[in-house]
Amino acid sequence: MRLRDQFPLLTSDPKLHYLDSGASSQMPSAVIEAVTRFETTQRANVHRGVHRLAEAATAAYEGGRDEIAQFFSARRDEIVFTAGTTAAINLVAHSFGDALAPGDEIVVSELEHHSNIVPWQMLRDRRGLVLKVLQVTDEGRIDLAALDRVLTKKTRLIALAHCSNVTGAVVDLARVVEAAKSVGAAVLVDGAQRVPHGPLDIPALGVDFYAFSGHKMYAPHGIGVLWGRHSRLEAMPPFMGGGDMIRSVTFEKTIYAPPPTRFEAGTPNVSGVIGLGAACHWMSGLDWTRIAQEEMRLTGRLLDGLAQVPDLRVLGPLGLQQRIGVVSFALGQAHPHDIAQILDRHGVACRGGHHCAQPLMERFDLPGTTRATIAPYSEDGDIDALLTGLDEARRLFA
Ligand SMILES: Cc1ncc(COP(=O)(O)O)c(C=O)c1O
């Protein structure tokens, strides 16, 4: 059976070549059914009720946390639910960042998604910090050789993407963690593009925070996770106040709940958590060695095909080492939106634009790129359709 057959949206349209999973992946039936089951048989608010439905909803919700924790080899009290990667990073920028002192330094890189740039700029301006930027090599990788020059005794946090959403480059986190330790800095990883590509032992990475979104890993929109090392979370104040995140409230004083509840004010995205738990369960049943091989075979095939297109420039590593199947390219002077529209006529869903990474576009002097993402359900036919569409684009724009 093709993996694609587990995805109702893909089977409903055999002519669709969905290569935009870097933006949002599709959801398998197992996830859709888990969410539908909750909404049709268990829907109620969690934690507060004592009636049967409320208890069933709470059990399903906390069961989702267990499933997610197990998938990432983490403690359940280290899994904080957020609306996504952006919300997770903003949480750290407030709860960790607001304790920093003027002159303290935060290090990001030139290839970060805006969600791992703007919250730090806002924090810099709130607290009088210094924001330092690691440059990107011509191959589209973060230049880790510069770490020694950039880090100082004042570095408090290094915040980097595990995998670039533009170039597909995977960063050597062991090297980042070692460098961070040498100056006593914390490490936050934006794992949005890493998590769709298989299981991961997050605590073993040695980082302090790991942020990701459900909608890129076969789960619903609007749910994400901040994984935080327990000692870090315990030392942090809440970002938002409200229901659920307290132990007790009087007008004189509120005592906060321990993590993760401390960071989860208000009614949570219950069906999102259940969907993300189901996605983790579904992912843990797959053969990721085979999927990784297949993803790399298709990525190689795509890169080979792109190499044959005149006047086309790939932004990112041309080899298959230390990369995921996120492939960005520019075709002559053609605007990426125009290319994406022509590809759409061939049934190919690709992303065209700056991918929320304007500083990286500036680094490569481009207004944007066209991006294709290889996912577990990608097939040879998707690559063929993309290359055929590009051929038409080239003829139109040449
Ligand atoms: C690398 C990276 N970081 C962060 C984000 C933001 O994720 P979200 O919009 O789900 O918060 C994205 C989404 O495209 C991404 O690719």
Side-chain angles (χ1 to χ4, degrees), residues 22-23 83-87 89 113 115-116 161 163-165 190-193 212-216 355-356 371:
T85 308
T86 306
I89 295 174
H113 189 281
S115 63
N116 199 26
C163 303
S164 164
N165 67 316
D190 167 356
Q193 293 293 336
F212 59 92
S213 303
H215 67 95
K216 294 183 200 286
H355 314 294
C356 299
R371 179 185 74 183

Side-chain angles (χ1 to χ4, degrees), residues 107 132 134 143-153 155 158 175-176 178-180 182-183:
V107 176
K132 291 182 155 180
L134 288 165
D143 182 10
L144 294 185
L147 265 177
D148 290 344
R149 252 179 294 127
V150 170
L151 300 190
T152 73
K153 287 267 171 288
T155 311
I158 307 175
R175 199 160 157 201
V176 175
E178 194 188 333
S182 73
V183 294

Side-chain angles (χ1 to χ4, degrees), residues 59-287:
Y61 173 76
E62 290 301 338
R65 197 190 306 270
D66 287 333
E67 196 78 62
I68 296 158
Q70 195 182 336
F71 186 66
F72 290 104
S73 305
R75 288 168 53 157
R76 70 187 315 282
D77 58 1
E78 293 179 329
I79 300 289
V80 178
F81 292 125
T82 67
T85 308
T86 306
I89 295 174
N90 276 276
L91 193 165
V92 177
H94 282 269
S95 291
F96 174 85
D98 280 341
L100 300 181
D104 283 349
E105 296 170 2
I106 290 186
V107 176
V108 296
S109 90
E110 215 174 8
L111 63 62
E112 300 309 312
H113 189 281
H114 295 162
S115 63
N116 199 26
I117 296 176
V118 183
W120 307 120
Q121 278 178 330
M122 292 163 75
L123 172 63
R124 173 194 66 191
D125 297 345
R126 275 199 312 277
R127 300 291 306 148
L129 307 185
V130 178
L131 188 59
K132 291 182 155 180
V133 183
L134 288 165
Q135 306 298 299
V136 162
T137 65
D138 290 344
E139 206 198 6
R141 294 185 186 279
I142 301 171
D143 182 10
L144 294 185
L147 265 177
D148 290 344
R149 252 179 294 127
V150 170
L151 300 190
T152 73
K153 287 267 171 288
K154 292 197 148 195
T155 311
R156 297 290 172 257
L157 181 76
I158 307 175
L160 300 177
H162 199 166
C163 303
S164 164
N165 67 316
V166 179
T167 70
V170 179
V171 78
D172 179 356
L173 282 180
R175 199 160 157 201
V176 175
V177 168
E178 194 188 333
K181 275 204 178 120
S182 73
V183 294
V187 177
L188 175 140
V189 179
D190 167 356
Q193 293 293 336
R194 166 61 186 84
V195 290
H197 299 283
L200 182 68
D201 183 338
I202 294 180
L205 295 172
V207 304
D208 299 272
F209 304 106
Y210 198 96
F212 59 92
S213 303
H215 67 95
K216 294 183 200 286
M217 56 174 293
Y218 324 109
H221 291 106
I223 183 67
V225 168
L226 170 69
W227 174 85
R229 199 166 283 288
H230 192 257
S231 53
R232 288 278 181 201
L233 293 180
E234 215 164 26
M236 284 160 41
F239 167 38
M240 289 199 295
D244 241 27
M245 47 74 75
I246 54 92
R247 197 166 255 163
S248 68
V249 179
T250 64
F251 276 108
E252 287 67 45
K253 187 175 167 59
T254 290
I255 300 174
Y256 305 131
T261 317
R262 181 187 302 170
F263 302 103
E264 295 175 346
T267 297
N269 180 350
V270 183
S271 66
V273 168
I274 287 164
L276 182 53
C280 288
H281 187 76
W282 176 79
M283 284 179 80
S284 54
L286 300 179
D287 178 352

